[in-house]
C-alpha cells in the first residue's frame, strides 16, 4: 500500500513539475526583424564598398568586406532559427518585406 501511495505522490509531483515548465516561445517576428536589419546592412555595406573601390580607398573597401561577412554570419543564424520556426525561404521573404516597405515610403 505504501508503494502505491508513494508512486502516486511521485507521479503527481512529476506531472506538476512538467505542467509548470513552459515551452520557449518561438519569436518569429523578432528573428524576422533581425534578418531584415541584416539584409539592409549588407546592402548598405555593399554600396559603401563600391564607392570606396571607385574612389581608390582599398582599406575602406576591405573594412566594408569584413562588415559584410559578419552581417552574413548573423543572417545564417537568423535563417536557421526561422527555418526551425517553420518559415520557408526566410531571406526571400525578408527581401520582399523590405521591398514592400520601400514602396510604401515612396507612395507617401
Amino acid at each position: 500500500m505504501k508503494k502505491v501511495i508513494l508512486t502516486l505522490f511521485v507521479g503527481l509531483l512529476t506531472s506538476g513539475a512538467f505542467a509548470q515548465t513552459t515551452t520557449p516561445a518561438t519569436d518569429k517576428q523578432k528573428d524576422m526583424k533581425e534578418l531584415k536589419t541584416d539584409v539592409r546592412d549588407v546592402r548598405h555595406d555593399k554600396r559603401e564598398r563600391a564607392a570606396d573601390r571607385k574612389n581608390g580607398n582599398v582599406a575602406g573597401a576591405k573594412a566594408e568586406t569584413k562588415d559584410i561577412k559578419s552581417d552574413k554570419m548573423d543572417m545564417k543564424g537568423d535563417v536557421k532559427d526561422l527555418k526551425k520556426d517553420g518559415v520557408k525561404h526566410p531571406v526571400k521573404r525578408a527581401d520582399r518585406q523590405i521591398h514592400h516597405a520601400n514602396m510604401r515610403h515612396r507612395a507617401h
Side-chain angles (χ1 to χ4, degrees):
M1 185 69 175
K2 287 183 183 180
K3 287 183 181 180
V4 172
I5 293 173
L6 184 61
T7 304
L8 288 174
F9 180 71
V10 170
L12 288 174
L13 286 178
T14 305
S15 64
F18 279 117
Q20 289 181 358
T21 58
T22 58
T23 58
T26 56
D27 206 4
K28 290 182 194 178
Q29 291 176 344
K30 181 182 169 206
D31 289 339
M32 199 66 190
K33 192 173 187 179
E34 290 175 6
L35 180 63
K36 287 190 282 187
T37 303
D38 289 337
V39 169
R40 286 185 180 115
D41 288 343
V42 167
R43 289 179 182 177
H44 179 72
D45 290 341
K46 283 183 178 182
R47 284 191 296 270
E48 285 184 356
R49 182 177 63 183
D52 286 342
R53 285 182 178 167
K54 185 177 180 181
N55 295 329
N57 186 0
V58 176
K62 284 185 179 181
E64 292 302 327
T65 300
K66 280 188 175 183
D67 288 343
I68 291 169
K69 286 182 180 181
S70 68
D71 288 336
K72 285 190 175 187
M73 290 301 291
D74 291 341
M75 285 174 59
K76 283 183 182 180
D78 293 336
V79 166
K80 192 178 281 189
D81 289 343
L82 285 166
K83 283 187 177 182
K84 283 183 184 176
D85 292 340
V87 177
K88 295 179 182 177
H89 310 290
V91 176
K92 188 174 183 178
R93 181 171 286 196
D95 285 337
R96 295 301 301 161
Q97 289 177 358
I98 291 170
H99 176 75
H100 288 302
N102 291 344
M103 288 296 116
R104 273 187 260 133
H105 271 270
R106 288 184 186 167
H108 292 218

